[in-house]
Amino acid sequence: MDDTEIMYLINEPKTLYKKGRWSIQGKFRKRNDILVSVDNDYTFQLFHRQSLLLASSFSYGLLWTPSHRENIILTRYNGASHNHTNTIENESIEMHCHIHVATQRYIESNQKAEHYAIETDKYEAPHEAFLCLLTDCNIGGYEQNDNGTDDLFD
């Protein structure tokens, strides 16, 4: 999979097909929503993960679920609860919100496809990250008042 295909899938118009239910796993709440491309050619999951203890520990991501190969996380929007290092570039992001994006380079180096990340000021709180993900990944179908968090920390 190359970077052009990855960006195509991220930008492909998508809509909510089925909203998942929150579940508790350890110290986190999780929810997976099913999305479909507008032309019904592709299926995706939008995953939500939030710490029950720390408001800055969250991740919202877009997972492509092809029928013919392994699932790939295309992008994920993380909170500022931890440091991150882009291992190939040897660049660090320290305790700041960051957006992971799948890249051909990381796939070919046998690391997580979405390991590469860039620091961002586009959001600070979970609901802001959720709304950025919807906009950046061309996702519709959510109710206007849905902030992806059910107001755990808001």
Side-chain angles (χ1 to χ4, degrees):
M1 172 169 249
D2 65 30
D3 292 341
T4 302
E5 292 173 287
I6 291 165
M7 292 313 298
Y8 175 83
L9 290 166
I10 289 172
N11 293 318
E12 176 74 7
K14 297 167 237 14
T15 190
L16 176 64
Y17 177 74
K18 183 179 180 187
K19 188 186 268 190
R21 293 181 182 238
W22 287 105
S23 65
I24 305 289
Q25 292 181 336
K27 297 177 183 176
F28 288 90
R29 287 186 339 149
K30 296 182 177 190
R31 182 176 110 192
N32 291 322
D33 300 338
I34 298 171
L35 310 174
V36 294
S37 59
V38 173
D39 60 11
N40 285 318
D41 284 348
Y42 303 100
T43 58
F44 304 87
Q45 284 184 22
L46 189 156
F47 62 84
H48 313 241
R49 183 181 63 94
Q50 279 184 273
S51 168
L52 295 169
L53 306 174
L54 186 62
S56 65
S57 181
F58 59 85
S59 186
Y60 291 85
L62 179 65
L63 177 78
W64 178 42
T65 57
S67 59
H68 60 284
R69 64 168 119 171
E70 190 175 318
N71 294 347
I72 296 175
I73 296 175
L74 299 171
T75 188
R76 60 185 159 96
Y77 291 53
N78 283 4
S81 63
H82 61 282
N83 296 333
H84 173 77
T85 300
N86 291 323
T87 53
I88 293 174
E89 298 80 7
N90 197 27
E91 301 168 344
S92 293
I93 299 170
E94 300 203 12
M95 304 300 282
H96 202 90
C97 292
H98 52 280
I99 299 172
H100 289 262
V101 180
T103 65
Q104 179 179 353
R105 190 171 173 184
Y106 276 85
I107 292 169
E108 290 174 351
S109 69
N110 294 317
Q111 297 185 54
K112 287 183 177 179
E114 82 289 359
H115 186 82
Y116 179 76
I118 55 170
E119 190 171 307
T120 187
D121 290 321
K122 290 171 64 171
Y123 60 86
E124 292 180 8
H127 69 279
E128 294 168 338
F130 174 73
L131 294 174
C132 281
L133 177 70
L134 294 183
T135 300
D136 294 349
C137 297
N138 207 5
I139 300 169
Y142 285 86
E143 295 177 20
Q144 206 165 15
N145 64 345
D146 190 340
N147 64 14
T149 68
D150 293 339
D151 300 321
L152 181 62
F153 291 106
D154 301 328

